[in-house]
Amino acid sequence: MFVSTAIRVITMVAFGVPGYLLVRFRALGEEHIKAFAKFLLYACQPALTLHALDSVDSSPELIGNIGIFFAVTLVAQCVVVALYCLIFRRSLRAPAKRVCAVAGVFGNVGFIGIPLLEALLPECPEALAYSAAFSTSMNLLAWTLGLLMLTGEKKYISFRAVFVNPAMISSIAAFVLFAFGIKLPAAIGYYIETLGDMSIAVCMTVLGMRLACKSLRSIFTNPDVYVSAFFKLAVFPAITALMFALLPVDGALKSAAFILCCCPTAAIIQSLSETHGGDSATAADAVLAANLLCIFTVPLMWTAYSHLLI
C-alpha cells in the first residue's frame, strides 16, 4: 500500500522536472511562469471541473452526498484555521503566521486531488464529483477568509470576486449541468477531458519552474513552512476524518474526503499573497515545501488510514 501510493505520488511530482530544468538551463525565465499559470487557471482548471462532473451520472442520492461533502469540508477548513489562530494567537500580527493559517487548509484538491482519487479509488467514479465540491468550498473561503488572513484587512474581501473568477464560474456551470443530468456532446466531452488531463502536468511544470527560482535551503530553513505543512498534511486530514466519522455516510465519501485533505497546499495562496500585498515569500515557501513533502506524507497517511479502516 505504502510503496504503490508513493510511486503514484512521485510520478505526479516528477512532472515538475521539465519545468525545473528549463528554468535552470535558462531555456525559460521566471517571467514565463505567469503565462503557464494563467493557462492552468483559465483553461485547465475549468475543463477539469467540467470533466469531473460530466463523467459521473447524477442521482438524488449523489446530489445529497455532494451537499453534505461541501458543507463538512467548508466547516472543517474553518475549524482548522480557528484552531491554528487559537494556538498562535499571540503572533498573528506577523504576516507569515497568517499565511500559514490558510496554507494549512487550502489544498490542491483539483490538479493533484483528482489524479489521486482516480489512482487510489478507481472503483469510485463519484469521488470526482466530491473533488469539485471541495474545490468550490475552498474557493469560497479563499476569496473571503483567505484574503482576510493573508492581508489582515477586511477591505480586500470582494464577494464579487468570489463568484466572478474562472474556478467559480466553471463550478457553477458544471453543477447546473450535473443537477439536470445534461451530458456534454461526445466531441466536446473528449476535448474537455483532454484539456483537463493536462492539469497535473501543467500544474507540476509551474511548480518546478518556481522551485528553480528558489533555494531549497531558504525554503526548508523557514520554520513557518514546517508549521503550515504539518497542519496541511497531517492535522487537517485527521480532523476532517474525525468529522466525517461521526456522520452516517458511506465509506467511499469518507475516503475521498481524507485523500483530498492530504493534498498539498494550493498555489492560490501564493497568487493571492502576491496580488494583495501579503507575505508572498512565505506563501511561496509554504506551497513548494508542502508539495515536496507530500511525496512522503500522502503514502504514509493513506496507508495509516487504510489500516485503521480494516
Side-chain angles (χ1 to χ4, degrees), residues 12-235:
M12 290 167 57
V13 175
F15 280 116
V17 173
Y20 178 87
L21 294 176
L22 285 169
V23 173
R24 276 296 184 185
F25 288 101
R26 299 181 181 180
L28 293 174
E30 185 174 358
E31 68 277 7
H32 295 107
I33 296 177
K34 287 187 177 181
F36 281 87
K38 285 183 178 180
F39 177 73
L40 185 67
L41 175 65
Y42 292 108
C44 294
Q45 183 168 347
L48 189 65
T49 302
L50 285 167
H51 169 62
L53 287 168
D54 186 62
S55 62
V56 181
D57 293 326
S58 177
S59 70
E61 181 183 2
L62 181 54
I63 291 174
N65 283 341
I66 289 174
I68 294 171
F69 198 94
F70 173 83
V72 176
T73 54
L74 187 73
V75 172
Q77 290 172 93
C78 294
V79 166
V80 177
V81 170
L83 175 63
Y84 176 94
C85 291
L86 180 64
I87 295 173
F88 297 99
R89 59 187 179 278
R90 295 182 179 179
S91 56
L92 279 180
R93 289 187 177 182
K97 295 296 184 185
R98 295 198 304 271
V99 166
C100 291
V102 290
V105 293
F106 295 161
N108 199 334
V109 299
F111 306 133
I112 293 180
I114 287 180
L116 272 179
L117 290 175
E118 291 175 332
L120 302 179
L121 297 177
E123 75 291 348
C124 182
E126 63 270 21
L128 301 186
Y130 299 146
S131 172
F134 203 148
S135 181
T136 303
S137 70
M138 188 197 74
N139 278 294
L140 281 172
L141 290 175
W143 291 93
T144 50
L145 177 63
L147 279 177
L148 176 62
M149 294 302 301
L150 290 171
T151 64
E153 298 283 348
K154 293 182 181 179
K155 66 181 181 180
Y156 290 107
I157 297 177
S158 170
F159 288 97
R160 180 179 181 275
V162 171
F163 297 100
V164 186
N165 65 76
M168 191 57 65
I169 291 172
S170 61
S171 293
I172 293 172
F175 277 114
V176 169
L177 293 174
F178 173 77
F180 286 97
I182 301 172
K183 293 289 185 179
L184 296 174
I188 297 177
Y190 172 75
Y191 174 81
I192 293 296
E193 180 182 2
T194 304
L195 195 56
D197 286 344
M198 295 170 61
S199 297
I200 182 62
V202 179
C203 176
M204 288 296 106
T205 296
V206 171
L207 179 71
M209 293 173 73
R210 283 177 170 157
L211 185 61
C213 300
K214 299 280 290 185
S215 163
L216 278 177
R217 183 176 179 180
S218 70
I219 294 173
F220 288 104
T221 54
N222 183 348
D224 292 313
V225 158
Y226 294 99
V227 176
S228 66
F230 177 66
F231 268 79
K232 181 67 203 71
L233 303 173
V235 175

